[in-house]
Amino acid sequence: MLKTATGQGITRRSFLKTTAVTAAGVAALGGLAGCSSGEETPVEETPTPVEETKIFQSCMGNCSGFGCPCYVTVREGKVANIERAKLKCPDGTDSPYQETCLKGYTNIERMYSHTRVLYPMKRAGERGAGQWEQISWDQAVQEITDKWKQLQADYGPGAVAFMPGSGSILATTSYVNRLKTLMGALSIGLGYDVTGMSCQWNHAGFHPLIMGQNEWRDMVNASNLFIWGTNPTESHIVDYHLVSQAKENGAKIVCIDPIYTTSAAKADPYVPIRPATDGLLAAGMAQIAIRDGFMDKAHIQTLTVGPFLVKDSDGLYLRLSDLGQAEAGSAEDRIMVMDGGQVVAFDTATDPEIEGSFEVEGIAVKPACQILLDRINVWDLETIAEITDIPLATIEELAAIYTSGPSIIYTGFGPDHYSNGQTSYDGMLALADITGQEAKHGAGICCTDYSAPIAQGLVSTSTTDLADIAPAGQSISPAHLHELIEKGELVGIKAPKSVYIYIGNPITNYPDRQKMLKSLGSMEMVVVADMFMSETCLYADYVLPAAFLFERSDLHESFSTFVKHIQKAVEPAGEALSDFEIVKKLGIAMGFEEYFTQNVDEFLASCVTNDTAAAAGITWERLQEENAIWSYPEEPVVLGLNTPIYTTSGRFEFYHEGIKPMHDVGQEWDMKKESCWFWEPPIEAWPETVGGFEAVPEAEKYPLLFISERCKFKTHTMFNNSPMILELDPEPYVKVNPKDAEAYGVGEGDIVRVWNDRGYVVIKVALNAGVRPGMLVIDHGWERDGYIEGHYSDLATSESWPRFEQSNWFDCLVEMEKVQ
Ligand SMILES: Nc1nc2c(c(=O)[nH]1)N[C@H]1C(S)=C(S)[C@@H](COP(=O)(O)OP(=O)(O)OC[C@H]3O[C@@H](n4cnc5c(=O)[nH]c(N)nc54)[C@H](O)[C@@H]3O)O[C@H]1N2
Ligand SMILES: Nc1nc2c(c(=O)[nH]1)N[C@H]1C(S)=C(S)[C@@H](COP(=O)(O)OP(=O)(O)OC[C@H]3O[C@@H](n4cnc5c(=O)[nH]c(N)nc54)[C@H](O)[C@@H]3O)O[C@H]1N2
Ligand code: SF4
Ligand SMILES: [Mo]
């Protein structure tokens, strides 16, 4: 018996009764077709029952679903059907999360697609040519590990790098970390969504339940929902119903986006904004809120770092040790605030000042809130209106809506994809801090999904047991990979000579594809494990066939309110192996057999055999019985209300004392400037001179701003191989505003070349009046073979600002011309 999370039973083995009826029908037809004399007694055919098995399984991908659960029906060794598995919240209501989207239902097609990699493949032509020799697993493993051993012997352990993507965040894909750790190999991190996520964590801390933002269930409690830099009808398909529900509950839905998206169409007001200026809009709204009496002093005093005194000299907090009253760094060395004309430790104050500037024993100080206000007040509202391209009356209207009741800013990763993304998120977060729109239901920020069972410690794939025996590996961000490879060494890290790529398609998905091709091209050996012949596979020396989700057992450790155990439904196609088995083979061949003794079930069981899981009542036995176990509180998680704020100060931090860059690679760093919100235009996406900010020089040649957008037909590059999806969305196109189309002499269906110094793409035009004039938009996720020529990922820059190592796909200027 398989059970859903509610305990509703679903029979694992059931027999189709309908076959009897079918057989009788066939017998009747047979009788007629035979057209016999009618004297013969019709032969009663014994119906052959078709055995069906229903297995708890899941879709997967880095979409907002992150593994929507389903039941797959297995018939004669093949997956024959997919049904959504309705999981339940602890109170018995349907879980609002992870409802299967259109893509999820195409998984059968994907799984049996001709683009599946079925055997280990060795490159037989130029890299990228797609010519392969099928080899045995033994040969593949031998050759790969021989080369790794030689490279590590010649150049050190970091000569081999491991590079993940985000395609399948499951316990077995994390098993790779075991091999990486044992080899002391170089880690190449993830370079996406860094700015958005990190700004949240810097503001509210990394909480094991929730990553710096509130849980999405709370959206339905908002009076006003600001869809600000996200397009959830496309990018959060399975969660969008929360927006609809909020609307049904009477919430006002506001959308701020340069493009009139499908989400914008459902909002009122929709406010188009000049790209990369959201931080200034937030500052303008904050100014108006303060002017109109909506500054929430009590909130700033008690739940933010607002009253903490900051020294003018070094930007650090004034502490008791500065006044000789405690030992620096000791537990007694508390941060000081100004209270009733006295400087006191923050935890003894009753009504601390949040504004003003003071001198304490000759030390000039200001409350952190004053620093924020000074930075906001640098901008006058007219300039903000000019730069954001939003009429002042509209900014007034937005501020009035935002302060009229509990308001949630539902943001996403639009602002993240510009180099100045931090100015947008820090601005939105500061707006919530100043107005007290947080730490209560229906308020705060709901950005990317909730946290993960792995973050909560419920599913642990940790490699700490190897700490004493393995050399400590180094790590580098993809943002610095090219520099590392060009220079051969960067901050003590040597350029890798080989890379193992898994659950990712970096050649398509990182900006400046030509640089990525060059960096990966410099390697002596590139190995990719994938289920499909992705674009990155095409440039590999070895492609290892990975088992599809339905072909393996696993534990979900990615973003979800459930811990889930999926069970192998069918045997892997061809000679595919699960990532677990692939890693195990490689690990044993590298000489680590004693660390790879577990079978997959033993490994999965070990992942949930830990104190945290035990305390939460999560056991391997329960998972086998129930498949999915809810791992969140009953009430929606709201930071500062029903959870602590997980910053070091225990408060929301709009001021970041002593902030350091995410990775110090010798970049210029202005600590004081980075400590608090400021606004500057992005590196490249500034084609016009506005508000005193000069257009970038590139704009003379490349006047158009190019961005990509999520579409419901893809999860990044996944689902490019589903015929059903391709029927709905057969080819890429660039969306062009009709005014620009006229100026460029192009019309619907024309073919254009879009280019800059980094590369070009040749693509069909789709006119779209919702696109802001001066912008071009291509749906994200098409690979090399989708374009007529070139590639959209050749266009974007790999440059980023100093604080975060981020990929800035939207920070990109281009020119366009008609080809035909
Ligand atoms: N179908 C589908 N869903 C997905 C994914 C997928 O590939 N396919 N990927 C998942 C992942 S990993 C992520 S990170 C999320 C991303 O989810 P979203 O953040 O929703 O994704 P995008 O469509 O990239 O960008 C969001 C919106 O930002 C707008 N935008 C662009 N520039 C600006 C700006 O300067 N200011 C403002 N205010 N808006 C701007 C764009 O027009 C777009 O409407 O989606 C997840 N969900
Ligand atoms: N132009 C542009 N580019 C972007 C973005 C954008 O907005 N615009 N958004 C960026 C963002 S936010 C993100 S998160 C990234 C995502 O970038 P990636 O993480 O590279 O995303 P996917 O294209 O989903 O690649 C996943 C790959 O892993 C494979 N895979 C899936 N499951 C498994 C498995 O279990 N085992 C193995 N071995 N392989 C598996 C899939 O077949 C696929 O080839 O894309 C980024 N790229
Ligand atoms: S593609 Fe759709 S069904 Fe699959 S995990 Fe994502 S949202 Fe869920
Ligand atoms: Mo992402």
Side-chain angles (χ1 to χ4, degrees):
M1 248 325 233
L2 270 186
K3 281 187 180 164
T4 62
T6 52
Q8 279 171 328
I10 287 192
T11 320
R12 185 167 186 155
R13 302 198 176 269
S14 57
F15 292 90
L16 257 193
K17 295 280 184 315
T18 50
T19 43
V21 178
T22 321
V26 171
L29 271 176
L32 278 176
C35 212
S36 62
S37 63
E39 286 160 19
E40 292 164 45
T41 319
V43 181
E44 272 285 313
E45 281 190 25
T46 316
T48 319
V50 179
E51 190 180 346
E52 284 192 346
T53 316
K54 277 192 184 178
I55 309 280
F56 183 75
Q57 259 291 342
S58 166
C59 184
M60 230 313 153
N62 180 358
C63 48
S64 62
F66 283 112
C68 297
C70 60
Y71 284 99
V72 296
T73 304
V74 179
R75 199 183 291 157
E76 293 170 346
K78 290 253 192 257
V79 175
N81 195 23
I82 295 179
E83 287 162 66
R84 180 181 155 200
K86 279 196 171 189
L87 303 185
K88 298 280 182 190
C89 293
D91 65 3
T93 55
D94 284 348
S95 161
Y97 299 128
Q98 301 191 308
E99 307 182 16
T100 310
C101 82
L102 76 170
K103 289 167 291 185
Y105 292 108
T106 70
N107 273 316
I108 302 179
E109 270 200 334
R110 284 180 74 217
M111 178 178 176
Y112 296 119
S113 149
H114 68 275
T115 57
R116 271 299 291 272
V117 185
L118 297 175
Y119 308 98
M121 296 292 196
K122 183 177 179 177
R123 180 165 63 84
E126 288 287 293
R127 276 185 178 159
Q131 288 160 352
W132 304 100
E133 178 196 344
Q134 182 185 325
I135 57 171
S136 67
W137 270 108
D138 284 348
Q139 184 186 344
V141 168
Q142 183 78 45
E143 290 181 10
I144 292 167
T145 52
D146 281 353
K147 184 74 181 172
W148 282 352
K149 285 178 194 163
Q150 175 235 314
L151 289 173
Q152 289 198 312
D154 292 351
Y155 303 102
V160 179
F162 283 76
M163 184 179 202
S166 64
S168 239
I169 304 170
L170 293 160
T172 64
T173 49
S174 294
Y175 198 57
V176 178
N177 291 336
R178 206 163 176 78
L179 177 58
K180 182 180 74 181
T181 306
L182 285 161
M183 289 174 68
L186 179 73
S187 297
I188 303 176
L190 287 181
Y192 2 93
D193 311 330
V194 175
T195 303
M197 309 251 273
S198 304
C199 284
Q200 294 183 165
W201 300 341
N202 287 177
H203 174 253
F206 189 97
H207 189 284
L209 267 179
I210 211 86
M211 293 186 177
Q213 81 291 344
N214 292 345
E215 199 197 318
W216 291 36
R217 273 185 298 166
D218 201 47
M219 268 190 221
V220 301
N221 297 319
S223 292
N224 308 295
L225 199 53
F226 282 66
I227 299 180
W228 194 344
T230 182
N231 184 15
T233 56
E234 306 291 306
S235 64
H236 294 104
I237 307 171
V238 293
D239 300 308
Y240 185 80
H241 64 96
L242 292 165
V243 178
S244 305
Q245 207 179 321
K247 200 172 174 180
E248 274 164 30
N249 292 352
K252 195 163 191 56
I253 311 295
V254 178
C255 179
I256 302 164
D257 197 304
I259 311 294
Y260 185 72
T261 59
T262 40
S263 303
K266 297 174 191 315
D268 183 19
Y270 156 61
V271 180
I273 186 169
R274 189 189 308 280
T277 64
D278 301 86
L280 274 184
L281 171 61
M285 288 166 66
Q287 277 189 27
I288 294 165
I290 295 166
R291 182 200 67 196
D292 294 348
F294 289 101
M295 181 156 158
D296 189 338
K297 187 174 176 195
H299 177 78
I300 298 170
Q301 284 175 319
T302 53
L303 284 182
T304 80
V305 292
F308 291 1
L309 294 173
V310 177
K311 290 178 281 175
D312 286 0
S313 57
D314 58 8
L316 302 180
Y317 290 136
L318 181 76
R319 289 185 164 79
L320 276 169
S321 59
D322 290 301
L323 310 176
Q325 295 175 24
E327 197 183 320
S330 68
E332 289 72 42
D333 192 14
R334 299 197 311 286
I335 297 167
M336 310 299 286
V337 297
M338 192 58 79
D339 190 11
Q342 302 290 315
V343 61
V344 298
F346 76 93
D347 50 353
T348 61
T350 50
D351 185 20
E353 302 288 350
I354 56 169
E355 291 181 69
S357 58
F358 312 96
E359 208 168 285
V360 179
E361 296 186 13
I363 307 170
V365 292
K366 282 187 200 75
C369 183
Q370 185 62 52
I371 295 175
L372 175 63
L373 296 177
D374 288 347
R375 293 195 178 191
I376 288 174
N377 291 328
V378 163
W379 303 92
D380 63 74
L381 287 173
E382 287 71 26
T383 308
I384 290 178
E386 186 192 352
I387 297 182
T388 57
D389 200 20
I390 302 175
L392 189 47
T394 309
I395 302 178
E396 295 269 1
E397 186 191 349
L398 289 174
I401 297 170
Y402 187 69
T403 50
S404 68
S407 297
I408 286 179
I409 296 177
Y410 176 6
T411 187
F413 295 93
D416 170 276
H417 293 2
Y418 299 88
S419 56
N420 72 344
Q422 68 186 68
T423 66
S424 298
Y425 297 106
D426 283 352
M428 293 176 199
L429 294 162
L431 172 65
D433 288 335
I434 289 174
T435 54
Q437 284 288 9
E438 56 198 356
K440 59 188 180 193
H441 282 296
I445 309 276
C446 284
C447 184
T448 193
D449 282 75
Y450 23 81
S451 182
I454 190 160
Q456 295 173 52
L458 302 171
V459 176
S460 171
T461 52
S462 147
T463 54
T464 43
D465 60 312
L466 307 174
D468 294 338
I469 46 151
Q474 294 175 303
S475 60
I476 189 88
S477 151
H480 296 124
L481 180 67
H482 309 316
E483 192 184 349
L484 170 67
I485 285 174
E486 271 159 31
K487 292 185 173 161
E489 188 169 338
L490 191 68
V491 288
I493 301 171
K494 290 208 179 98
K497 305 282 180 191
S498 173
V499 62
Y500 180 83
I501 298 171
Y502 60 107
I503 58 170
N505 193 0
I507 290 181
T508 315
N509 288 324
Y510 279 107
D512 208 340
R513 176 174 159 275
Q514 290 301 329
K515 273 199 179 161
M516 185 57 85
L517 285 173
K518 201 169 156 205
S519 291
L520 294 183
S522 76
M523 309 249 183
E524 292 185 29
M525 184 174 70
V526 175
V527 182
V528 182
D530 206 308
M531 307 135 164
F532 301 103
M533 204 33 101
S534 70
E535 186 179 334
T536 301
C537 289
L538 293 177
Y539 291 90
D541 301 299
Y542 293 90
V543 179
L544 302 180
F548 195 75
L549 292 154
F550 302 164
E551 298 167 344
R552 67 197 209 207
S553 297
D554 225 317
L555 281 176
H556 279 238
E557 56 174 38
S558 51
F559 306 90
S560 168
T561 47
F562 290 91
V563 178
K564 285 175 282 166
H565 171 224
I566 59 169
Q567 296 167 31
K568 182 173 168 180
V570 291
E571 286 305 318
E575 291 178 12
L577 291 176
S578 72
D579 290 270
F580 178 87
E581 297 296 342
I582 297 174
V583 167
K584 191 170 167 174
K585 269 185 186 294
L586 293 168
I588 290 171
M590 285 302 289
F592 303 122
E593 42 280 72
E594 62 188 294
Y595 305 105
F596 288 99
T597 53
Q598 287 172 315
N599 66 30
V600 72
D601 276 350
E602 286 163 347
F603 166 65
L604 298 179
S606 73
C607 294
V608 285
T609 307
N610 61 66
D611 293 346
T612 317
I618 291 167
T619 61
W620 176 237
E621 290 68 31
R622 247 191 99 190
L623 276 169
Q624 282 177 296
E625 181 68 14
E626 296 173 40
N627 305 320
I629 303 173
W630 177 267
S631 68
Y632 266 58
E634 283 201 22
E635 199 189 338
V637 182
V638 174
L639 281 163
L641 177 70
N642 48 26
T643 68
I645 301 161
Y646 269 69
T647 51
T648 41
S649 66
R651 292 164 176 242
F652 293 116
E653 296 191 355
F654 54 75
Y655 188 84
H656 310 294
E657 188 199 25
I659 189 170
K660 294 194 174 82
M662 200 170 160
H663 199 160
D664 186 353
V665 289
Q667 67 269 56
E668 270 185 38
W669 183 246
D670 184 341
M671 186 267 273
K672 272 196 184 173
K673 174 178 158 186
E674 299 282 344
S675 299
C676 193
W677 177 83
F678 65 93
W679 189 84
E680 281 172 15
I683 293 174
E684 187 171 306
W686 202 252
E688 292 168 71
T689 297
V690 191
F693 291 92
E694 287 277 318
V696 294
E698 295 91 322
E700 277 192 27
K701 271 162 77 186
Y702 305 119
L704 300 169
L705 202 158
F706 161 62
I707 68 165
S708 48
E709 217 180 37
R710 297 294 184 280
C711 79
K712 58 171 67 68
F713 303 112
K714 294 188 190 305
T715 298
H716 310 286
T717 62
M718 288 161 62
F719 301 94
N720 279 341
N721 50 1
S722 158
M724 280 197 281
I725 293 285
L726 289 172
E727 203 176 312
L728 297 169
D729 188 35
E731 59 182 342
Y733 48 85
V734 56
K735 290 190 240 177
V736 184
N737 183 285
K739 283 189 198 142
D740 290 327
E742 200 183 341
Y744 281 83
V746 298
E748 181 77 24
D750 283 352
I751 309 294
V752 290
R753 181 170 175 270
V754 177
W755 85 96
N756 61 22
D757 287 347
R758 291 178 289 266
Y760 73 99
V761 64
V762 177
I763 187 168
K764 200 177 255 185
V765 167
L767 298 185
N768 188 321
V771 171
R772 185 183 163 85
M775 287 179 81
L776 302 178
V777 186
I778 300 178
D779 281 344
H780 163 53
W782 289 98
E783 290 168 279
R784 191 184 77 170
D785 295 342
Y787 300 105
I788 297 168
E789 255 187 68
H791 203 297
Y792 84 142
S793 293
D794 285 350
L795 298 168
T797 177
S798 57
E799 299 290 311
S800 63
W801 271 22
R803 182 164 156 208
F804 299 120
E805 296 165 312
Q806 163 69 17
S807 302
N808 296 303
W809 298 273
F810 298 1
D811 206 338
C812 177
L813 293 183
V814 295
E815 181 54 303
M816 174 174 71
E817 67 182 358
K818 184 171 166 175
V819 175
Q820 67 181 65

